[in-house]
Amino acid sequence: VQIFTKTPKNCVSMVVDTSVVSISVIGGQTGRKRLEHCTEQADFEVAISATGYGRFNIFILIISLFCCVASINETTTIAYILPSAQCDLNLTLHDKGMLNAITYMGMITSAFLWGYLADTLGRRDILGYGYILTGIFELACGFTQVFWLLLVFKYISGFIACGPFAVLMSYVSELHGIKHRSRTILAVGTFFSVGNIILPAVAWAILPTSWTVTFIENSFELHSWHIFLLICAIPSLVGGLLVFILLPESPKFLMSRGRNDEAMVIFRSIFHQNTGKDIHDYPIKSLIDELQQSGTNVGAKTLVLNGASVPKSQGFAALKDGLSQIAPMLKRPHLGNCCLVFLIQFGVLLSNNTFRLWLPEIFHMIAQYSTVAANNVASDRAPSLCEIIDASQAVKSINLTHLVVGVDEAVECISTPDGSVYMNTLIVGCVSFLGYLVAGSIVNTIGNRNLMICGLIMSGLSASSLYFAMNRESVVAAASICCALGSICGTSMLGLIANLFPTSLRTMTISLTLMFGRIGAMIGNLVFPYLLSLGCFPPFITIGSLFIAGGLGGLLLPKHTKIPLQ
């Protein structure tokens, strides 16, 4: 990737290739030292590329791993405890749908607030405080004894968790140059697959057991699913603390607010961490004034407090200022892209997160059919998924509190699920991880847009094929392909947003995009129990059709895959 700064006669022009900065002098001279004497101002892409790629970027990836696992835990732990907690909390299928959906309800109600705060107050504090507070409320979930209290705590943790996730994706993209950006965003997506491996592995180790810690008999007892929730709160707490210990504010955000001196300090620090050289050896000596370049009055946006530039807007005035951020999104050239991105993400997350969160329950149906109904079904072959769903009286009546399959009489509620439930979800997680590795090797070649289009169409076909699944192995295979490609495509969409929108709108756009996706996920999890009660055909064909529609909609998005961040 070559980025040239506008240079006067005999001044240095910069050619940036990932972490290597090569210098050529117009007029025939060459050498790195001449850069020190150039008075030209560098833009963000030149400045971040000059910092190199090394230890600091590894720190970002390590912290991103904790944060991604925390985000997966926030939205997914409930799905894993449902087979185990259904007896303790007397859960119906409708209750299970509510628990799966409530986290997304919290995220939806806070999407605009977090997007505004991140684009106004910065990235680092939102990341740190957000993940720590999320972890605290996840701990609270681990002590709940009644359904309604678990519902309340999951809503609050979802409300808080919305902000840090959107900020994380913007933060990572703003700390990498053009060549590394797409691959790094995809690497962060890979960490979500790692989370989808770690979570079922932990569930496999804990939930099939019958552990009980009694504080007050029959009133305050912790079972295996409580312990599982407590352990799953750890990544949020650790990730939030590491943000404050190891990460600075985003220099791109600081430049967009006219705080170039602070941004330069951070660029030099990153350069020192990546190269081991003295901060004074950092080749960039001056940064462009993005506010002046865009015609924005610095004084109108900020004031100086204790030597730092901070936003003037406070209270209701700050919220009014935040509302003004939406206005450019409703005008050209951003309106068309916004509508497309929002609609595609709505369908993708409705399909992917609904299917993903109901997989443990589907595998629980298969396992319980094998143990309870096998002796009542005279057949030389394994039952198909549709036969298992049709045989489930709990699916036909969403008010039953436990699964009854293949028999006319009620059976005792089973609070200890079979280990195969989590083994199957572990396989799905491993396939997703491998899928991200393959996608990471080809994304720079085919681009985020093409990857998303092909992936969504293939994911839709895989989801639809579940209607024809004739055994457990084929269910696991189709579910693995569907979840892997759906997750990859969701991450590719976030990578596209980083290139489609300028800094002042980026986190707001990501937050609103995820909000539409979460509206879809919420609706999907509420509706899925009713679709399931209608039989095998409606749920899987609906999910597959929405995936395919999202892929076809991606054809309307711009084809550019590598452009400088604005």
Side-chain angles (χ1 to χ4, degrees):
V1 178
Q2 294 185 344
I3 305 170
F4 295 89
T5 62
K6 183 180 179 181
T7 57
K9 183 177 181 180
N10 290 330
C11 189
V12 180
S13 67
M14 300 188 62
V15 182
V16 181
D17 183 6
T18 72
S19 61
V20 179
V21 179
S22 60
I23 309 301
S24 63
V25 180
I26 299 175
Q29 300 181 11
T30 61
R32 294 177 182 268
K33 294 183 180 180
R34 287 297 304 273
L35 184 58
E36 299 177 0
H37 305 294
C38 181
T39 60
E40 283 295 303
Q41 295 178 324
D43 64 11
F44 168 76
E45 293 294 351
V46 172
I48 193 64
S49 295
T51 62
Y53 191 94
R55 186 173 64 179
F56 176 79
N57 303 90
I58 293 174
F59 286 158
I60 294 176
L61 292 177
I62 292 173
I63 295 172
S64 295
L65 175 60
F66 280 99
C67 294
C68 290
V69 171
S71 296
I72 287 293
N73 290 353
E74 171 60 26
T75 59
T76 313
T77 49
I78 290 295
Y80 283 91
I81 70 168
L82 292 180
S84 181
Q86 62 182 357
C87 300
D88 296 327
L89 301 179
N90 294 320
L91 300 178
T92 66
L93 276 183
H94 176 72
D95 294 335
K96 294 175 182 180
M98 281 291 295
L99 283 172
N100 275 336
I102 194 65
T103 299
Y104 294 106
M105 292 182 187
M107 291 179 171
I108 292 166
T109 52
S110 65
F112 172 78
L113 173 64
W114 288 115
Y116 160 67
L117 291 177
D119 281 335
T120 305
L121 304 180
R123 321 298 200 204
R124 180 173 177 266
D125 287 347
I126 301 298
L127 275 174
Y129 289 120
Y131 278 115
I132 289 174
L133 288 174
T134 299
I136 291 173
F137 280 98
E138 287 178 346
L139 288 176
C141 290
F143 290 100
T144 55
Q145 303 293 305
V146 292
F147 167 73
W148 68 266
L149 192 57
L150 179 60
L151 206 63
V152 170
F153 284 146
K154 286 305 296 181
Y155 172 82
I156 296 174
S157 63
F159 185 95
I160 297 171
C162 175
F165 172 70
V167 171
L168 174 67
M169 305 308 287
S170 290
Y171 188 87
V172 170
S173 68
E174 291 172 2
L175 285 171
H176 291 84
I178 291 177
K179 184 168 185 178
H180 293 291
R181 189 171 296 130
S182 292
R183 187 166 292 162
T184 303
I185 289 292
L186 205 60
V188 174
T190 305
F191 295 156
F192 286 101
S193 291
V194 173
N196 281 321
I197 294 174
I198 295 175
L199 190 60
V202 174
W204 189 27
I206 297 175
L207 293 178
T209 65
S210 55
W211 297 341
T212 300
V213 179
T214 302
F215 295 97
I216 302 175
E217 190 171 358
N218 297 325
S219 297
F220 188 24
E221 297 179 344
L222 300 185
H223 302 290
S224 57
W225 63 272
H226 291 100
I227 297 171
F228 173 72
L229 290 178
L230 292 174
I231 291 175
C232 289
I234 294 175
S236 290
L237 299 172
V238 173
L241 291 174
L242 288 179
V243 166
F244 285 123
I245 294 173
L246 297 175
L247 298 184
E249 182 55 87
S250 163
K252 177 60 179 171
F253 166 78
L254 295 174
M255 289 180 66
S256 71
R257 303 297 292 181
R259 298 157 66 177
N260 283 7
D261 291 342
E262 297 172 65
M264 180 63 76
V265 171
I266 293 173
F267 281 130
R268 289 171 176 169
S269 175
I270 297 173
F271 172 79
H272 171 69
Q273 293 181 61
N274 284 342
T275 65
K277 297 180 181 179
D278 189 88
I279 59 174
H280 299 293
D281 292 332
Y282 180 58
I284 306 301
K285 303 305 176 184
S286 180
L287 301 172
I288 64 170
D289 189 333
E290 293 192 354
L291 289 181
Q292 186 177 44
Q293 191 178 56
S294 63
T296 305
N297 185 354
V298 181
K301 289 284 186 181
T302 61
L303 55 83
V304 177
L305 181 63
N306 296 329
S309 178
V310 299
K312 280 185 176 181
S313 302
Q314 300 293 336
F316 288 107
L319 291 177
K320 183 178 179 181
D321 183 46
L323 289 171
S324 66
Q325 294 185 28
I326 295 182
M329 300 168 62
L330 303 178
K331 303 175 183 177
R332 293 184 179 180
H334 303 303
L335 177 60
N337 289 335
C338 281
C339 292
L340 274 174
V341 166
F342 294 160
L343 288 174
I344 292 173
Q345 195 77 347
F346 175 87
V348 170
L349 289 193
L350 186 154
S351 304
N352 194 56
N353 283 348
T354 299
F355 182 64
R356 179 176 63 87
L357 293 180
W358 279 90
L359 267 183
E361 189 69 18
I362 292 173
F363 289 137
H364 183 53
M365 289 181 185
I366 296 174
Q368 197 164 354
Y369 185 97
S370 300
T371 58
V372 175
N375 295 331
N376 299 286
V377 179
S379 177
D380 294 331
R381 63 176 179 82
S384 68
L385 178 60
C386 286
E387 289 173 337
I388 293 174
I389 291 176
D390 290 339
S392 173
Q393 295 180 21
V395 169
K396 295 175 183 176
S397 176
I398 64 172
N399 292 321
L400 293 182
T401 59
H402 57 277
L403 186 67
V404 185
V405 288
V407 292
D408 295 331
E409 67 274 10
V411 298
E412 181 183 358
C413 182
I414 300 175
S415 62
T416 304
D418 190 82
S420 64
V421 172
Y422 306 109
M423 171 59 74
N424 292 334
T425 54
L426 179 61
I427 293 173
V428 173
C430 290
V431 172
S432 295
F433 177 75
L434 294 176
Y436 268 106
L437 295 181
V438 174
S441 65
I442 64 175
V443 63
N444 280 357
T445 302
I446 68 175
N448 279 314
R449 175 181 175 273
N450 294 333
L451 179 64
M452 184 187 72
I453 293 170
C454 296
L456 287 178
I457 293 175
M458 293 176 64
S459 186
L461 295 175
S462 298
S464 300
S465 70
L466 284 168
Y467 177 72
F468 306 99
M470 297 306 298
N471 51 53
R472 182 173 61 182
E473 290 74 18
S474 60
V475 173
V476 173
S480 298
I481 296 173
C482 178
C483 288
L485 293 177
S487 179
I488 290 169
C489 293
T491 304
S492 298
M493 173 65 78
L494 298 180
L496 279 173
I497 292 174
N499 285 332
L500 289 175
F501 299 94
T503 302
S504 60
L505 298 177
R506 190 170 300 126
T507 301
M508 175 65 76
T509 305
I510 290 177
S511 291
L512 292 177
T513 300
L514 293 177
M515 182 191 74
F516 277 90
R518 286 159 182 161
I519 291 174
M522 179 191 70
I523 293 174
N525 278 286
L526 292 175
V527 172
F528 193 82
Y530 296 95
L531 292 177
L532 208 56
S533 69
L534 297 176
C536 187
F537 183 83
F540 301 123
I541 297 301
T542 299
I543 288 175
S545 299
L546 288 173
F547 271 129
I548 294 174
L552 297 178
L555 294 171
L556 302 177
L557 289 171
K559 296 182 180 181
H560 303 292
T561 58
K562 284 187 178 182
I563 58 175
L565 284 184
Q566 301 175 20

